[in-house]
Amino acid sequence: SSSQNLLFFDGVCNLCDGFINFVADRDSDMRLRFGAIQRHSDYMRYLGAGRYAEGGEEALSTLVLVQDGVVYTRSSAALRAVALLDRPWRYIAAFYMLPTPLRDVGYKLVARYRYLIFGKTDTCRPPSTKFQSRFLESEAKEPTPGFVDGGGFPLSR
């Protein structure tokens, strides 16, 4: 597939880490790539998701899915990611039909208390070797012509 699906998450959040593991294990076509928000602030700004990157107005408040250049957050990001999974898991995405404000009430409530309920780590955990290649930091960091210092994104959009 030529589409790009980048899922950014809070790398110190145990709930978020569990969701990424769940998604990775059920995405046999490997349509999603992952990155911890804490490690990819510049790239997120470049992609138009800077308000959710560290230092942004809504830093670390949501999952962020960038799908073919469009930024999705909160329940929309989670459900659009789930829609890419294997059967039967993709059918959970049917909840996308509910109005966004209704879906996001539950999302925001869980997000607010996620550290209290699920805990957090002191630093972003590196991806396990099992699916390390699915993470943005696994990309080669050698300078590429036309790319900013090998960081993975073009000089001009």
Side-chain angles (χ1 to χ4, degrees), residues 4-9 32-37 39-40 43-44 47 127 131-141 150-152:
Q4 189 175 36
N5 304 292
L6 305 174
L7 188 58
F8 296 97
F9 64 101
L32 285 156
R33 303 277 316 273
F34 311 106
I37 290 171
R39 293 183 176 162
H40 299 287
Y43 194 30
M44 288 179 68
L47 293 169
F131 59 102
Q132 187 172 358
S133 66
R134 309 270 308 272
F135 281 76
L136 295 174
E137 49 268 33
S138 71
E139 293 177 349
K141 296 297 178 189

Side-chain angles (χ1 to χ4, degrees), residues 87-143:
R87 289 184 192 96
W89 304 106
R90 69 175 63 160
Y91 301 129
I92 295 169
F95 284 103
Y96 202 85
M97 293 186 298
L98 295 173
T100 302
L102 181 64
R103 286 187 278 120
D104 282 350
V105 165
Y107 186 96
K108 288 176 183 177
L109 184 65
V110 171
R112 170 177 258 162
Y113 297 106
R114 71 189 186 275
Y115 295 147
L116 181 66
I117 297 168
F118 299 98
K120 69 180 205 171
T121 59
D122 292 330
T123 59
C124 294
R125 285 173 280 198
S128 70
T129 54
K130 178 181 175 187
F131 59 102
Q132 187 172 358
S133 66
R134 309 270 308 272
F135 281 76
L136 295 174
E137 49 268 33
S138 71
E139 293 177 349
K141 296 297 178 189
E142 294 298 316

Side-chain angles (χ1 to χ4, degrees), residues 31-89:
R31 292 184 273 190
L32 285 156
R33 303 277 316 273
F34 311 106
I37 290 171
Q38 292 89 337
R39 293 183 176 162
H40 299 287
S41 293
D42 290 337
Y43 194 30
M44 288 179 68
R45 280 189 272 287
Y46 166 77
L47 293 169
R51 71 180 300 119
Y52 309 105
E54 282 195 312
E57 308 88 74
E58 295 186 60
L60 300 171
S61 66
T62 178
L63 281 172
V64 177
L65 175 68
V66 181
Q67 193 170 46
D68 295 325
V70 180
V71 176
Y72 299 94
T73 59
R74 298 182 183 80
S75 63
S76 295
L79 291 171
R80 290 183 75 90
V82 167
L84 298 172
L85 302 183
D86 304 329
R87 289 184 192 96
W89 304 106

Side-chain angles (χ1 to χ4, degrees), residues 18-33:
F19 180 72
I20 296 304
N21 286 317
F22 176 87
V23 167
D25 288 345
R26 289 155 185 85
D27 177 21
S28 61
D29 291 333
M30 296 193 288
R31 292 184 273 190
L32 285 156
R33 303 277 316 273

